[in-house]
Amino acid sequence: MTPPQRQRRFPKPEPVPPPPPREEQEAPEGQKKNPERLYVITGPDGVERVELDLVTLIVARADPPRSATPEQAALLRLCTAPLSVAELSAYLSLPFSVVTVLLTELVTAELVTVRAPIIRQALADRSLLEAVMHGLQKL
């Protein structure tokens, strides 16, 4: 005689089907992703780019003109206070290369000012360090 077998209270979950291939996945809005989108934002690449670093500061000189693209208008609105190129890239969710192309167009139109990053000295000035040390000793 065989002993009675226990039955599970909860049935096994059914296996989850694998996700569709990468090409068939749709964007959140229900539209297919367009790989040419960045090209449309930047336009043809025939102009020399301005030498920009990730920490180069950008400041807007004027409000966005009516002829500016939405991305350029967003850049000009963000740059009312000095912002680095890395911050602009993060805020707009655009790659660094795309932001440099947009900024090059704005620089040639004289709508933004580019400030080079401040380079720190390798070693601090000795007289400054001594003054700080004497000030701390007096405390």
Side-chain angles (χ1 to χ4, degrees):
M1 181 163 168
T2 59
Q5 294 185 352
R6 301 176 86 188
Q7 292 188 357
R8 296 179 186 258
R9 292 185 185 177
F10 302 106
K12 284 186 176 179
E14 294 183 19
V16 178
R22 189 95 173 138
E23 299 160 352
E24 297 176 7
Q25 288 183 351
E26 295 186 2
E29 297 89 24
Q31 302 171 352
K32 295 257 182 188
K33 291 184 180 183
N34 190 353
E36 298 165 347
R37 174 82 172 119
L38 297 178
Y39 175 77
V40 172
I41 291 173
T42 59
D45 192 25
V47 181
E48 294 254 347
R49 293 187 190 172
V50 177
E51 288 295 323
L52 296 174
D53 198 5
L54 285 172
V55 293
T56 302
L57 295 177
I58 308 295
V59 182
R61 286 184 172 182
D63 292 331
R66 291 182 186 260
S67 62
T69 63
E71 290 81 12
Q72 290 174 336
L75 273 171
L76 288 170
R77 282 197 291 299
L78 283 171
C79 291
T80 53
L83 284 177
S84 69
V85 179
E87 290 173 314
L88 291 171
S89 177
Y91 288 143
L92 295 175
S93 300
L94 291 173
F96 173 74
S97 58
V98 173
V99 174
T100 56
V101 172
L102 293 172
L103 287 173
T104 298
E105 294 172 359
L106 294 175
V107 167
T108 56
E110 297 181 356
L111 294 173
V112 294
T113 304
V114 177
R115 294 184 189 171
I118 299 171
I119 300 172
R120 294 184 181 175
Q121 293 180 347
L123 296 173
D125 185 23
R126 184 177 178 91
S127 62
L128 176 66
L129 291 175
E130 288 176 356
V132 170
M133 184 179 70
H134 293 305
L136 289 173
Q137 288 173 348
K138 289 181 182 179
L139 292 176

